[in-house]
Amino acid sequence: MARDFSKNGSNYMTLGVNAVGPLLNGAAKISVHAWVYADTFDTGTNENRILTIINNTGSVSGVVLCVTDSAGSKLLRAGARSVSTDGFQARNATTVITTGAWHSVGAVYDIAGDVITPYYEGVAEGGGAVTFGNATYTQGSPGVADTDGIGKGGSDTIAVTTIQWDGRIAELAIWTDDVGVSNFAALAKGFSPLLVRPDVITDFWPLIGNYSPETDIISGKNGTIAGTIAKADHPRIIYPSRPQIRFPGAAAAGADTYAGRGFGRGILRGVFR
């Protein structure tokens, strides 16, 4: 199951003050991926937030993934700052994102290379040059009112609900590196973030909908729910298989397949390195 967010200032998910940013501090590259299912979109730039990580006091955004309005078209937008003194740098994907369906969305924020690349349905779109002041992500000092969040902006006092997400979010993950084209393609096919670059994954919220707070199973930066965020259908995901008991000298059944789905181990090593 997923969580079904709404544009209601009394209902939101907060990760807390200075929760995720310190985990990204010093990273030259950051990757983000999620599954989203929108019910409606508001017009405006940087609205319809999927993820907001605050860099500094005054709700200065460090990393943002959202859907923006561009000349009437709703496009995935990835934006960031390397340091609080940067202007907000952003790039838009090129395919119009629709309501009423699940979509694979993500981005690579290449701070060292001054490039942001959105990923829509596992394909890089609209990436290009931006200008970061620092060569690595440099976390500032968010104030007591500046909270990281899923499906909301950078404050728990939500005066304008257009910034909130309306619809479902699931399988949200963050890595401190560029996970690569092949891995974004794999994520879009439904492979779990747990199978992608486990050496650099910093956060993963499955957003199953059974418990509050919603667990970050990597770093423990759990999502606290204020008000009500309903449980909803989850996208189909291929999770890691359970360990198998094997005996020396005997061939284990299915040893060359992944969870009985016919994926050879050599293929997995090539994609999920």
Side-chain angles (χ1 to χ4, degrees), residues 51-107:
L51 174 69
T52 303
I53 299 170
I54 296 300
N55 180 276
N56 208 5
T57 187
S59 294
V60 175
S61 299
V63 177
V64 169
L65 191 67
C66 65
V67 172
T68 195
D69 185 271
S70 177
S73 296
K74 305 304 184 290
L75 303 175
L76 178 69
R77 183 173 175 85
R81 291 179 174 88
S82 66
V83 64
S84 64
T85 51
D86 280 355
F88 188 67
Q89 306 295 303
R91 301 288 301 190
N92 296 344
T94 56
T95 301
V96 174
I97 187 169
T98 59
T99 58
W102 281 107
H103 299 290
S104 164
V105 298

Side-chain angles (χ1 to χ4, degrees), residues 129-148:
V130 295
T131 303
F132 290 121
N134 285 9
T136 60
Y137 184 80
T138 307
Q139 180 70 357
S141 301
V144 294
D146 306 314
T147 56
D148 301 335

Side-chain angles (χ1 to χ4, degrees), residues 174-179 196-203 218:
I174 305 173
W175 299 260
T176 50
D177 200 357
D178 179 352
V179 300
V196 172
R197 292 298 305 276
D199 56 318
V200 291
I201 190 169
T202 61
D203 301 274
I218 303 298

Side-chain angles (χ1 to χ4, degrees), residues 94-128:
T94 56
T95 301
V96 174
I97 187 169
T98 59
T99 58
W102 281 107
H103 299 290
S104 164
V105 298
V108 175
Y109 308 81
D110 184 350
I111 296 168
D114 289 322
V115 173
I116 294 178
T117 305
Y119 276 82
Y120 181 70
E121 307 292 27
V123 178
E125 293 189 356

Side-chain angles (χ1 to χ4, degrees), residues 15 62 120 133 154 172 193 195 242 262 272:
L15 302 174
Y120 181 70
L172 176 58
L195 292 166
R242 295 179 180 178
F272 306 114

